[in-house]
Amino acid sequence: MPDPLDRLFTALADRYTVERELGRGGMATVYLARDLKHDRLVALKVLEPELAATVGHDRFLREIAIAAKLNHPNILGLLDSGEGDGLLFYVMPYVEGESLSDRLAREEQLPLEDALRITRDVANALSHAHSLGIVHRDIKPGNILLSGEHTVVADFGIAKAVTDAGGETLTETGLAVGTPAYMSPEQAAGRKGIDGRTDVYSLGCVFYHMVVGEPPFTGPSAQAVLARHAIDPVSPLSTVRSTVAPGIDRAVSKALAKVPADRHTTAVRFVEALERATTAPSDTRSATGRHSPMTWAAGVFALLLVVVGGWWATARLDGTRIERLAVLPPMELGADPDQAPIVQGMYNGLLTELGQAGVRVIGSLQSMVRYQGTDMTVPEIAAELGVDAVIEPSVFWVGDSVGISVRLIDGRTEESLWSHSYDADARNVVALYREVTRAIAGEIQVALTPAREARLAESRPVDPAAQEAYLRGRYFVDRLSPADLDTALAYFDRAIEIDSTYAPAYAGISWVWTAKRQLSLSPPSEATPKATDAAARALRFDSLLAEAHEARAWAEGWGVQNWELMERDYRRALELDPSSGALRGNYSHALLVQGRFEEAEAYADSGVALDPFNGRLRGFRAMVYQHTGQPELAREEFESLLQSEPGNVWFRSGLIGSSQATGRYDDVIDLWAQMLAQLGMADWADSLRLDYATHGYQPAMRALGDRFAALLEQGAAFFGGQPLVTLLYAEAGDVERTLAGLEQQYEERHPDAAYMAPAANNRYAFIRHEPRFQALLRKLQLEWALEQP
């Protein structure tokens, strides 16, 4: 029996005669065909069968019909479309000439004037399409056709038709719409509401490719490339083409901004910026036409950053290129529950040292534990994480001996590239981490900077008993329950008793008191001084400890609203540990309360990209959505998180807030009832449902607020504490009690006081114009919220 493609061509035989295949793309195979009715050559494109099977045929054909309305000299129009035997096809004019992809394959780099002309034509096409609400979503050299000096853009509306027709089914299959080398971060993340700025980003990538000879971000896999789009800065074009004016670098850098709001607003604006840069007089050349000494030094420095900096890896002698690693959880994890804190602590210690040495490590224990005992192969794991290789560690701690065995495995072939075992006296566990780190960095050819080399060479002995107490404390502090926090604090105190200069233990103590304050388990008057003092001691004993800087940022940033110090500490922590997804996620939260929404979203996204299965980081990203006018996205994220961790009170409270913001009051009541039952308050849950059914939403919230307020008056401590009561009164629309609660938070320096600024966009909207509320914002140095509409 003939295959579906043959049957499709047979069905079209009275309209088209297929002559030969022209090429294959990510979504379709292109054939040269003759339109029999009009006696002309056309390009007949057949959607890939797996893609056609995923999208809804009728909806695809309706969506693609929109593209037929485009009429512009730089747009290749749609002539025909249809379905046959399960396959979808569309027909476009055949352009004599070549694609930009063909020309780049032949010439590699184009003259700057040609690159500008092509970019201008594409921008004109995009401007017309965007004015009609059509976003291309797949701007790439293969879709840019050249005929003499005329440029046309093909496949307008195709990517959108596939995406809209495929819907959630397309996402579930993992089929990507778009081309990784030219895809914007928001499109790669599957964001809804993509607009024309995603095409601006792709056009920036195409221009970069035309000038430099390759796209701005490359890698061994699609996942690796997409991750680099989300995280890495773009290298200046001038490092490869010295004739490129600084203004062009600035224009391209703006087009490739990670956040859409930071890009050129339109493709035409991008071209205008490029053209201004080429016509403006240069301020970087001397009168003789040579580079000034300052510009020459800057160029050399930029080149050194690429060649010497610890951010990039180079090719191995066997041809394998390793830029991004994942470290699998040790096989020993979970084998002995009593030793789990030690094994987990050693794993986290190794990840920290690798990150601070500049090795790109993807994931944390929270993300990687999913692979414990998995049937997935190494290539499957590597593909899912977007890494080039994985480290398989094995650890042991017996008496006074500690050791780590590591194996480097190729993420594509599963070939063992290198393995080695290391052991040391338990007093020198930090030196052991750093010896392993130096060996891994050398094996994948990461060039260590002098500062990082010096850090790896320096390590102080640690008493094994203090180290073990600290590791056990870290194990419990991450659980965040009241009992676990108390247990963690006891272990950290024990570590300090053994070694009074042990900086990590002081950072741990600071984290415990910050968490107790944040969860309203201890009053700020008690928790804040203890948190700030412990963080200061940690920094006194180790100023290069990233977690100590972050501990102080949380202790003082939220504790005394010292936003300036918080900013400095986060920046320093990120310098010390640039590969930490947790740092990026936490910093996004700090940016959120300062109204720096675009930066907050960018750091939240990059944190998730570095640690993709970490629920805490996804929760921070959901909070950014919640407080930047995207409650539906927040609700979807929290709903997904709660499905994987149904007992997580934070995720449930986040879903409550986002459901309220989207008007789903029935859902809010159900979620509250579930959380009350989870907290052992089943009778309160029944009362809440009855109040809602009898009196409505706001009276039910007021009654629940009254119940929790009564607990406060009795001196009870519970999750959320006084800020929770204030929020419930806000839900009830009670102006006086809401203002009084917020004023109390300010007077007590409760960390939740900072949230009134972002929340001014939703839960506190009804008091936004109250003078008392505005006065609080000024006292908290959150004046930016006064300017919010």
Side-chain angles (χ1 to χ4, degrees):
M1 178 178 291
D3 66 24
L5 191 59
D6 290 336
R7 293 200 296 272
L8 174 64
F9 290 164
T10 300
L12 297 177
D14 61 333
R15 296 155 60 191
Y16 302 103
T17 300
V18 178
E19 298 188 359
R20 59 185 172 87
E21 181 180 315
L22 290 175
R24 293 177 180 266
M27 290 189 293
T29 301
V30 189
Y31 299 90
L32 179 64
R34 182 166 295 280
D35 178 354
L36 299 178
K37 181 177 179 179
H38 301 96
D39 190 26
R40 60 184 177 183
L41 291 175
V42 295
L44 189 151
K45 302 191 175 187
V46 181
L47 219 60
E48 291 300 317
E50 59 196 27
L51 203 54
T54 302
V55 303
H57 292 182
D58 292 342
R59 186 170 181 187
F60 172 80
L61 295 175
R62 286 198 306 272
E63 292 287 346
I64 200 175
I66 298 173
K69 300 177 182 178
L70 292 174
N71 183 17
H72 188 273
N74 297 115
I75 294 179
L76 193 65
L78 179 70
L79 301 176
D80 190 10
S81 62
E83 181 267 339
D85 201 27
L87 295 180
L88 295 166
F89 71 90
Y90 54 100
V91 181
M92 291 184 163
Y94 173 67
V95 177
E96 294 285 352
E98 63 181 350
S99 70
L100 176 58
S101 181
D102 295 330
R103 183 172 175 186
L104 287 170
R106 186 178 67 254
E107 298 181 21
E108 189 172 336
Q109 296 170 326
L110 303 191
L112 190 57
E113 55 270 23
D114 284 6
L116 280 169
R117 175 178 50 78
I118 293 169
T119 303
R120 187 186 310 111
D121 285 350
V122 174
N124 289 335
L126 291 173
S127 178
H128 176 70
H130 292 170
S131 70
L132 299 176
I134 298 176
V135 181
H136 193 290
R137 299 179 183 229
D138 196 20
I139 293 294
K140 61 181 180 181
N143 279 335
I144 299 172
L145 308 180
L146 311 176
S147 180
E149 293 197 351
H150 185 64
T151 304
V152 293
V153 182
D155 284 4
F156 257 106
I158 307 305
K160 182 179 187 299
V162 170
T163 302
D164 289 351
E168 293 182 1
T169 305
L170 185 67
T171 303
E172 292 167 1
T173 62
L175 295 172
V177 176
T179 305
Y182 310 93
M183 191 184 295
S184 70
E186 66 270 19
Q187 188 175 344
R191 294 284 183 81
K192 296 179 180 179
I194 295 292
D195 60 25
R197 292 171 296 183
T198 197
D199 287 341
V200 173
Y201 185 95
S202 299
L203 184 57
C205 293
V206 170
F207 180 82
Y208 189 103
H209 190 168
M210 288 189 287
V211 175
V212 171
E214 65 177 17
F217 303 112
T218 59
S221 66
Q223 291 86 352
V225 174
L226 294 177
R228 291 192 59 198
H229 278 291
I231 299 170
D232 290 352
V234 63
S235 299
L237 294 84
S238 53
T239 60
V240 176
R241 296 274 292 269
S242 60
T243 55
V244 170
I248 289 183
D249 266 331
R250 289 193 293 271
V252 173
S253 179
K254 186 176 178 68
L256 298 182
K258 308 301 183 188
V259 179
D262 293 338
R263 295 178 202 147
H264 305 280
T265 53
T266 66
V268 170
R269 291 283 178 87
F270 172 39
V271 173
E272 289 173 350
L274 292 173
E275 291 177 337
R276 283 196 301 270
T278 58
T279 57
S282 173
D283 58 357
T284 61
R285 309 291 179 98
S286 66
T288 61
R290 297 181 181 180
H291 289 286
S292 69
M294 184 62 73
T295 303
W296 178 85
V300 171
F301 179 66
L303 183 61
L304 286 174
L305 282 178
V306 174
V307 176
V308 181
W311 200 253
W312 296 96
T314 58
R316 288 168 48 84
L317 295 177
D318 61 5
T320 304
R321 187 173 180 83
I322 298 175
E323 294 178 349
R324 295 158 62 87
L325 289 171
V327 182
L328 295 176
M331 291 181 290
E332 296 80 5
L333 187 62
D336 180 354
D338 185 59
Q339 290 300 307
I342 307 302
V343 176
Q344 177 176 318
M346 292 185 68
Y347 175 88
N348 288 333
L350 178 59
L351 259 61
T352 297
E353 291 299 337
L354 285 167
Q356 294 192 175
V359 178
R360 297 296 299 278
V361 181
I362 303 301
S364 64
L365 184 60
Q366 185 173 355
S367 284
M368 301 302 294
V369 75
R370 65 189 272 126
Y371 300 117
Q372 181 112 26
T374 181
D375 292 331
M376 293 177 67
T377 64
V378 167
E380 288 171 340
I381 294 172
E384 185 169 76
L385 293 170
V387 299
D388 312 308
V390 300
I391 292 287
E392 186 180 73
S394 182
V395 305
F396 64 86
W397 183 302
V398 180
D400 293 333
S401 297
V402 60
I404 300 178
S405 175
V406 289
R407 186 162 70 104
L408 179 67
I409 307 171
D410 190 294
R412 294 167 299 174
T413 66
E414 206 163 1
E415 174 190 1
S416 179
L417 301 174
W418 166 81
S419 63
H420 204 79
S421 295
Y422 304 85
D423 60 81
D425 183 278
R427 295 181 59 85
N428 295 315
V429 65
V430 175
L432 178 67
Y433 295 153
R434 294 177 178 178
E435 182 183 2
V436 175
T437 295
R438 187 187 291 107
I440 292 173
E443 187 62 25
I444 66 173
Q445 297 185 20
V446 168
L448 297 169
T449 63
R452 286 171 175 160
E453 183 66 62
R455 177 176 174 81
L456 290 177
E458 178 271 332
S459 62
R460 61 185 286 273
V462 178
D463 189 295
Q467 171 77 358
E468 180 174 350
Y470 166 73
L471 294 179
R472 292 188 183 278
R474 284 298 306 174
Y475 179 79
F476 285 99
V477 79
D478 291 332
R479 298 186 176 193
L480 291 180
S481 75
D484 287 326
L485 289 173
D486 288 338
T487 301
L489 185 59
Y491 276 121
F492 292 142
D493 285 340
R494 173 61 180 153
I496 296 302
E497 289 174 7
I498 298 169
D499 183 350
S500 61
T501 64
Y502 190 35
Y506 284 111
I509 290 172
S510 181
W511 275 115
V512 169
W513 285 108
T514 295
K516 282 174 169 284
R517 182 189 65 190
Q518 203 83 17
L519 300 176
S520 297
L521 300 175
S522 293
S525 58
E526 176 190 11
T528 298
K530 291 181 177 180
T532 54
D533 177 69
R537 289 173 183 265
L539 287 167
R540 186 186 313 155
F541 295 123
D542 188 352
S543 63
L544 298 180
L545 186 64
E547 63 189 271
H549 284 280
E550 187 179 23
R552 185 170 67 175
W554 275 82
E556 298 209 25
W558 263 263
V560 294
Q561 285 80 52
N562 190 340
W563 310 125
E564 188 175 327
L565 176 64
M566 183 170 69
E567 175 75 10
R568 288 202 307 271
D569 272 324
Y570 263 116
R571 289 289 185 182
R572 182 59 176 145
L574 285 164
E575 288 175 6
L576 293 169
D577 193 359
S579 292
S580 172
L583 263 176
R584 290 172 177 271
N586 291 341
Y587 183 43
S588 78
H589 201 55
L591 293 167
L592 176 65
V593 300
Q594 298 175 72
R596 295 159 63 180
F597 294 145
E598 285 120 2
E599 292 175 88
E601 190 162 353
Y603 273 99
D605 284 342
S606 64
V608 172
L610 282 166
D611 201 353
F613 303 113
N614 189 316
R616 177 185 172 91
L617 300 189
R618 289 176 58 197
F620 278 140
R621 184 169 68 177
M623 290 192 73
V624 173
Y625 294 155
Q626 172 71 8
H627 295 301
T628 54
Q630 306 174 81
E632 190 60 46
L633 288 179
R635 191 188 65 80
E636 292 174 3
E637 187 79 274
F638 277 126
E639 196 168 48
S640 172
L641 288 168
L642 200 57
Q643 288 174 358
S644 59
E645 294 185 47
N648 191 303
V649 177
W650 176 38
F651 294 161
R652 193 174 299 279
S653 62
L655 184 56
I656 287 173
S658 53
S659 296
Q660 180 273 335
T662 54
R664 292 174 167 85
Y665 297 117
D666 289 348
D667 291 347
V668 172
I669 297 299
D670 285 341
L671 288 163
W672 258 115
Q674 292 167 20
M675 187 156 70
L676 289 170
Q678 181 181 339
L679 296 173
M681 301 174 174
D683 55 333
W684 286 25
D686 294 337
S687 297
L688 176 66
R689 292 186 188 278
L690 181 60
D691 288 340
Y692 178 60
T694 307
H695 305 293
Y697 180 71
Q698 287 194 327
M701 290 292 101
R702 181 177 290 107
L704 185 59
D706 289 342
R707 292 189 185 97
F708 275 113
L711 282 184
L712 279 181
E713 291 175 3
Q714 297 166 18
F718 52 85
F719 182 90
Q722 190 274 337
L724 172 63
V725 175
T726 303
L727 260 181
L728 287 169
Y729 284 138
E731 291 294 284
D734 190 321
V735 174
E736 177 55 37
R737 290 185 179 180
T738 301
L739 286 170
L742 293 176
E743 287 168 342
Q744 181 181 341
Q745 288 174 37
Y746 169 74
E747 294 299 330
E748 294 178 353
R749 290 296 190 269
H750 195 286
D752 273 24
Y755 294 126
M756 71 176 73
N761 293 321
N762 42 69
R763 284 180 162 175
Y764 297 135
F766 72 109
I767 58 169
R768 185 178 300 151
H769 301 298
E770 292 285 338
R772 287 164 63 188
F773 183 64
Q774 294 181 354
L776 282 173
L777 293 175
R778 292 189 182 93
K779 289 177 182 178
L780 288 164
Q781 302 175 51
L782 300 173
E783 292 89 345
W784 64 266
L786 297 172
E787 302 172 3
Q788 296 295 293

